Amino acid sequence: MVWIPGGTFNMGSSVGADDKHREEGPVHSVTVKGFWMDETEVTNAQFQKFVQATGYITDAEKDLSAKDFPNAPAEFLKGGSLIFKHTQGVDPFQCGTSGDLPWWKFTAGATWQHPEGPESNIIQRMQHPVICLTWKDVHAYAEWAGKRLPTEAEWEFA
Protein backbone atom coordinates (compact mmCIF):
# COMPACT_ATOMS: atom_id res chain seq x y z
CA MET A 1 0.00 0.00 0.00
CA VAL A 2 1.07 3.58 -0.52
CA TRP A 3 0.28 6.66 1.54
CA ILE A 4 -1.65 9.32 -0.36
CA PRO A 5 -1.23 12.66 1.46
CA GLY A 6 -4.46 14.59 1.70
CA GLY A 7 -5.20 17.71 -0.27
CA THR A 8 -7.76 19.76 -2.13
CA PHE A 9 -8.66 19.33 -5.80
CA ASN A 10 -11.37 20.16 -8.29
CA MET A 11 -13.67 17.17 -8.73
CA GLY A 12 -16.22 16.80 -11.49
CA SER A 13 -16.38 17.96 -15.05
CA SER A 14 -17.85 20.87 -16.95
CA VAL A 15 -18.64 18.28 -19.67
CA GLY A 16 -21.56 17.43 -17.39
CA ALA A 17 -23.30 20.55 -18.63
CA ASP A 18 -24.59 18.56 -21.60
CA ASP A 19 -27.26 15.90 -21.29
CA LYS A 20 -24.84 13.00 -21.87
CA HIS A 21 -22.81 13.23 -18.65
CA ARG A 22 -24.81 15.32 -16.21
CA GLU A 23 -23.69 13.15 -13.30
CA GLU A 24 -20.10 14.40 -13.77
CA GLY A 25 -20.87 18.04 -12.99
CA PRO A 26 -20.58 20.57 -11.68
CA VAL A 27 -16.89 21.01 -10.93
CA HIS A 28 -16.49 21.56 -7.20
CA SER A 29 -13.66 21.78 -4.70
CA VAL A 30 -13.11 18.69 -2.53
CA THR A 31 -10.69 18.15 0.33
CA VAL A 32 -9.59 14.66 1.34
CA LYS A 33 -7.56 13.57 4.34
CA GLY A 34 -4.51 11.38 3.81
CA PHE A 35 -5.25 7.68 3.24
CA TRP A 36 -3.67 4.35 2.38
CA MET A 37 -4.39 2.75 -0.99
CA ASP A 38 -3.17 -0.39 -2.70
CA GLU A 39 -0.51 0.42 -5.25
CA THR A 40 -1.98 -2.00 -7.80
CA GLU A 41 -5.31 -3.62 -8.52
CA VAL A 42 -6.28 -6.83 -6.73
CA THR A 43 -5.12 -9.80 -8.80
CA ASN A 44 -6.92 -13.03 -9.60
CA ALA A 45 -4.42 -14.83 -7.33
CA GLN A 46 -5.24 -12.53 -4.39
CA PHE A 47 -8.99 -12.84 -4.94
CA GLN A 48 -8.68 -16.62 -5.24
CA LYS A 49 -7.06 -16.75 -1.78
CA PHE A 50 -10.05 -14.83 -0.41
CA VAL A 51 -12.55 -17.21 -2.07
CA GLN A 52 -10.66 -20.29 -0.87
CA ALA A 53 -10.50 -18.95 2.70
CA THR A 54 -14.15 -17.86 2.92
CA GLY A 55 -16.16 -19.83 0.36
CA TYR A 56 -17.42 -16.50 -1.01
CA ILE A 57 -19.64 -16.61 -4.10
CA THR A 58 -19.68 -13.47 -6.25
CA ASP A 59 -22.83 -11.86 -7.57
CA ALA A 60 -21.92 -12.86 -11.15
CA GLU A 61 -21.89 -16.51 -10.07
CA LYS A 62 -25.50 -16.36 -8.86
CA ASP A 63 -28.65 -16.62 -10.97
CA LEU A 64 -31.36 -14.02 -10.38
CA SER A 65 -34.83 -14.97 -9.23
CA ALA A 66 -37.70 -14.76 -11.74
CA LYS A 67 -39.86 -13.87 -8.73
CA ASP A 68 -37.75 -10.75 -8.12
CA PHE A 69 -37.62 -9.86 -11.81
CA PRO A 70 -40.91 -11.15 -13.28
CA ASN A 71 -40.60 -9.29 -16.61
CA ALA A 72 -36.99 -10.21 -17.32
CA PRO A 73 -36.25 -12.60 -20.16
CA ALA A 74 -34.91 -15.95 -18.87
CA GLU A 75 -31.48 -15.38 -20.47
CA PHE A 76 -31.01 -12.30 -18.29
CA LEU A 77 -31.66 -14.25 -15.11
CA LYS A 78 -28.54 -16.37 -15.56
CA GLY A 79 -25.45 -15.49 -13.58
CA GLY A 80 -22.92 -13.55 -15.61
CA SER A 81 -21.38 -10.19 -16.22
CA LEU A 82 -21.11 -7.37 -18.73
CA ILE A 83 -18.03 -7.93 -20.87
CA PHE A 84 -16.26 -5.26 -22.91
CA LYS A 85 -16.24 -6.17 -26.60
CA HIS A 86 -14.34 -4.12 -29.18
CA THR A 87 -16.95 -2.71 -31.54
CA GLN A 88 -15.96 -1.47 -35.01
CA GLY A 89 -17.62 1.62 -36.42
CA VAL A 90 -19.10 2.86 -33.15
CA ASP A 91 -18.56 6.47 -32.13
CA PRO A 92 -18.50 6.36 -28.32
CA PHE A 93 -19.31 10.07 -28.20
CA GLN A 94 -22.62 9.45 -29.95
CA CYS A 95 -23.67 6.58 -27.68
CA GLY A 96 -24.99 6.48 -24.18
CA THR A 97 -27.81 9.00 -24.25
CA SER A 98 -30.38 6.24 -24.64
CA GLY A 99 -28.52 3.65 -22.62
CA ASP A 100 -27.11 2.17 -25.85
CA LEU A 101 -23.56 1.09 -25.03
CA PRO A 102 -22.76 -1.44 -27.78
CA TRP A 103 -19.27 -2.25 -26.51
CA TRP A 104 -20.70 -3.87 -23.37
CA LYS A 105 -22.36 -7.26 -23.78
CA PHE A 106 -24.00 -9.31 -21.03
CA THR A 107 -22.39 -12.74 -21.08
CA ALA A 108 -23.99 -15.57 -19.10
CA GLY A 109 -21.33 -17.49 -17.20
CA ALA A 110 -18.80 -14.65 -17.22
CA THR A 111 -17.32 -14.52 -13.72
CA TRP A 112 -14.01 -13.66 -12.11
CA GLN A 113 -12.86 -17.23 -12.87
CA HIS A 114 -14.25 -17.14 -16.43
CA PRO A 115 -13.71 -13.50 -17.46
CA GLU A 116 -14.86 -13.86 -21.08
CA GLY A 117 -17.56 -16.44 -20.47
CA PRO A 118 -17.79 -20.10 -19.44
CA GLU A 119 -15.18 -21.29 -21.97
CA SER A 120 -12.46 -18.92 -20.66
CA ASN A 121 -10.31 -19.21 -17.54
CA ILE A 122 -7.68 -17.37 -15.50
CA ILE A 123 -4.98 -20.05 -15.55
CA GLN A 124 -2.56 -17.79 -17.45
CA ARG A 125 -3.95 -14.61 -15.81
CA MET A 126 -3.29 -15.11 -12.11
CA GLN A 127 -1.37 -11.81 -11.91
CA HIS A 128 -3.98 -9.90 -13.94
CA PRO A 129 -6.53 -7.68 -12.18
CA VAL A 130 -9.65 -9.54 -11.09
CA ILE A 131 -12.79 -8.51 -13.04
CA CYS A 132 -16.54 -9.26 -13.18
CA LEU A 133 -17.10 -8.13 -9.59
CA THR A 134 -19.76 -5.92 -8.02
CA TRP A 135 -19.24 -3.33 -5.30
CA LYS A 136 -20.57 -5.90 -2.83
CA ASP A 137 -17.91 -8.40 -3.95
CA VAL A 138 -14.99 -5.98 -3.70
CA HIS A 139 -16.24 -4.67 -0.37
CA ALA A 140 -16.30 -8.23 1.02
CA TYR A 141 -12.74 -8.76 -0.22
CA ALA A 142 -11.54 -5.49 1.31
CA GLU A 143 -13.05 -6.35 4.70
CA TRP A 144 -11.46 -9.82 4.61
CA ALA A 145 -8.09 -8.24 3.73
CA GLY A 146 -8.40 -5.73 6.61
CA LYS A 147 -8.69 -2.80 4.22
CA ARG A 148 -11.38 -0.45 2.97
CA LEU A 149 -12.43 0.82 -0.42
CA PRO A 150 -11.44 4.38 -1.26
CA THR A 151 -14.26 6.87 -1.59
CA GLU A 152 -15.00 8.30 -5.03
CA ALA A 153 -13.22 11.51 -4.02
CA GLU A 154 -10.16 9.63 -2.73
CA TRP A 155 -10.00 7.55 -5.92
CA GLU A 156 -10.15 10.62 -8.16
CA PHE A 157 -7.62 12.48 -6.00
CA ALA A 158 -5.15 9.56 -6.07
Side-chain angles (χ1 to χ4, degrees):
M1 296 187 83
V2 294
W3 177 251
I4 309 293
T8 301
F9 72 108
N10 288 329
M11 183 171 158
S13 171
S14 58
V15 173
D18 66 20
D19 285 339
K20 292 181 184 175
H21 303 288
R22 289 183 131 159
E23 73 280 1
E24 298 298 328
V27 175
H28 57 287
S29 180
V30 174
T31 300
V32 296
K33 295 179 181 177
F35 59 98
W36 289 97
M37 187 173 190
D38 280 352
E39 192 169 2
T40 63
E41 298 88 351
V42 173
T43 65
N44 287 314
Q46 292 170 307
F47 196 77
Q48 184 176 54
K49 287 179 184 174
F50 159 64
V51 169
Q52 289 171 340
T54 64
Y56 188 82
I57 299 171
T58 65
D59 285 338
E61 296 171 287
K62 301 172 188 172
D63 290 344
L64 300 175
S65 166
K67 181 180 172 187
D68 293 335
F69 300 95
N71 297 323
E75 66 267 20
F76 291 120
L77 297 175
K78 295 289 182 194
S81 186
L82 290 174
I83 303 298
F84 185 84
K85 300 286 185 181
H86 181 71
T87 305
Q88 292 282 29
V90 174
D91 180 355
F93 299 104
Q94 299 301 314
C95 295
T97 56
S98 65
D100 179 28
L101 301 172
W103 47 84
W104 290 105
K105 180 178 185 287
F106 177 77
T107 304
T111 69
W112 74 274
Q113 296 179 84
H114 306 282
E116 293 157 12
E119 302 304 316
S120 66
N121 64 60
I122 58 171
I123 293 170
Q124 300 298 317
R125 304 175 190 184
M126 295 308 288
Q127 297 310 312
H128 290 207
V130 63
I131 63 171
C132 299
L133 302 178
T134 64
W135 181 90
K136 180 179 149 194
D137 300 331
V138 297
H139 184 262
Y141 172 85
E143 281 192 339
W144 172 81
K147 301 176 182 185
R148 70 171 180 85
L149 299 175
T151 65
E152 180 181 6
E154 289 171 340
W155 178 260
E156 291 194 23
F157 181 74

